[in-house]
């Protein structure tokens, strides 16, 4: 029998960012790899790409067509496995795959951070919890990427056949790595920064959850004490203009660089001195893992994803969500102690290498995939 796997997500850039190593692994196992998502990116290791008009908002009418397209796709291809990601990708694929699952297709869903968790608004629990609880019944394997979500799914008796915990989506530690002081200087010169600049970096969409406003308020408190400090904010989003105006109001616009969408995040991390993160909710944030892989200490707002990665007085600090003064104090501490900066950076790098590298996550995920593969005698047991 021809072996096929389908990966489903809302947007295809999700695959490009996080899943190419797993596409490659399936190809090595002799599988035909299909993807279903909105977007027209050309993706390596993919045999058939299906453009499905999935929308992030659940109330978009396009999702009805997306559901019908997915149902037809899944029922007509006899996939051995369907691995779905993102909230709407996960909802639509599991609903659309009900009949195929009864015939033997295995349904895997990765929750990249439940929208309901400790400290979440009540509305999140009312809206998202019952949906995830119901859809778990249509799931052969529910994969969580942080310990809090794993324990929540188990304690609240989610009815997935299996509930597993993996350590995120993996970080390419060959691309994201520390550099020597000399090379750092060279890269800074190329990007237009000086050796004595103190660079703080955050990459995230400008939206309410990412909370860049906290960083701007905190930065305004240090502008006189660290006149050579610069805040580098990569990303786009609906609140970008509001944040630009806030920077002007606070008198820090000349020291805040709004970088827009970037495909050179690794270089920007390598030239930076400190990673900062202000988001209110995270599953297991890739931006923090990439910063740690590059040897940066981290000052971040306390949430379940940050708490799994950032350990106080080891590789950085966790700050209460609106405590800009404490945030500022920790920035000043990092600025004033270069030995501490190096120590925390090394500790963070070791954590990534030990548990969160792409190689480690591929080992974890391949063991899960093997549980649901047909013709197991043909499986290549070694992970390349």
């Amino acid at each position: 029998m021809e072996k096929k796997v389908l990966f489903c997500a809302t947007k295809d850039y999700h695959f490009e960012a996080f899943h190419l190593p797993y596409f490659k692994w399936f190809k090595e196992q002799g599988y035909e790899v299909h993807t279903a998502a909105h977007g027209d990116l050309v993706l390596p290791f993919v045999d058939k790409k299906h453009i499905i008009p999935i929308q992030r908002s659940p109330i978009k009418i396009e999702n009805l067509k997306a559901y019908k397209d997915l149902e037809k796709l899944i029922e007509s291809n006899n996939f051995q496995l369907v691995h779905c990601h993102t909230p709407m990708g996960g909802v639509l694929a599991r609903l659309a795959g009900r009949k195929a699952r009864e015939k033997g297709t295995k349904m895997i869903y990765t929750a990249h951070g439940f929208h309901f968790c400790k400290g979440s608004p009540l509305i999140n629990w009312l809206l998202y919890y019952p949906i995830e609880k119901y859809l778990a019944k249509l799931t052969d394997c529910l994969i969580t990427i942080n310990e809090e979500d794993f324990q929540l799914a188990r304690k609240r008796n989610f009815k997935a056949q299996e509930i597993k915990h993996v350590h995120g989506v993996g970080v390419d530690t060959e691309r994201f790595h520390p550099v020597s002081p000399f090379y750092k200087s060279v890269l800074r010169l190329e990007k237009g920064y000086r050796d004595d600049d103190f660079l703080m970096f955050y990459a995230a969409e400008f939206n309410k959850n990412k909370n860049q406003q906290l960083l701007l308020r905190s930065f305004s408190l240090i502008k006189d004490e660290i006149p050579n400090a610069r805040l580098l904010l990569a990303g786009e989003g609906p609140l970008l203009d509001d944040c630009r105006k806030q920077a002007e109001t606070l008198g820090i616009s000349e020291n805040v660089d709004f970088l827009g969408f970037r495909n050179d995040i690794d270089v920007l991390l390598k030239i930076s001195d400190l990673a900062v993160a202000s988001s209110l909710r995270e599953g297991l944030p890739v931006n923090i893992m990439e910063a740690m892989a590059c040897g940066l200490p981290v000052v971040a707002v306390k949430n379940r994803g940050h708490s799994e990665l950032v350990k106080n007085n080891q590789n950085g600090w966790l700050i209460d969500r609106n405590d800009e003064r404490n945030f500022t104090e920790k920035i000043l501490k990092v600025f004033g102690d270069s030995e501490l900066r190096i120590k925390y950076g090394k500790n963070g790098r070791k954590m990534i290498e030990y548990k969160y590298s792409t190689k480690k996550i591929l080992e974890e995920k391949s063991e899960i995939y093997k549980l649901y593969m047909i013709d197991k005698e043909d499986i290549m047991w070694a992970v390349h």
Side-chain angles (χ1 to χ4, degrees), residues 350-373:
K350 288 178 182 177
M351 285 178 61
I352 296 299
E353 290 176 328
Y354 179 67
K355 284 204 298 189
Y356 301 102
S357 69
T358 298
K359 180 180 178 181
K360 292 291 185 182
I361 305 308
L362 181 53
E363 291 173 358
E364 292 182 357
K365 280 193 175 180
S366 64
E367 290 303 314
I368 294 173
Y369 289 140
K370 289 169 189 175
L371 297 174
Y372 302 99
M373 282 176 160

Side-chain angles (χ1 to χ4, degrees), residues 250-263:
L250 293 170
I252 57 174
S253 56
E254 292 186 1
N255 294 87
V256 179
D257 296 333
F258 294 93
L259 303 174
F261 173 79
R262 304 296 291 240
N263 55 17

Side-chain angles (χ1 to χ4, degrees), residues 216 239-249 253 258 260:
L216 295 171
L239 296 184
L240 175 57
D241 288 341
D242 288 346
C243 286
R244 289 183 188 275
K245 292 175 183 176
Q246 183 182 5
E248 292 177 3
T249 301
S253 56
F258 294 93

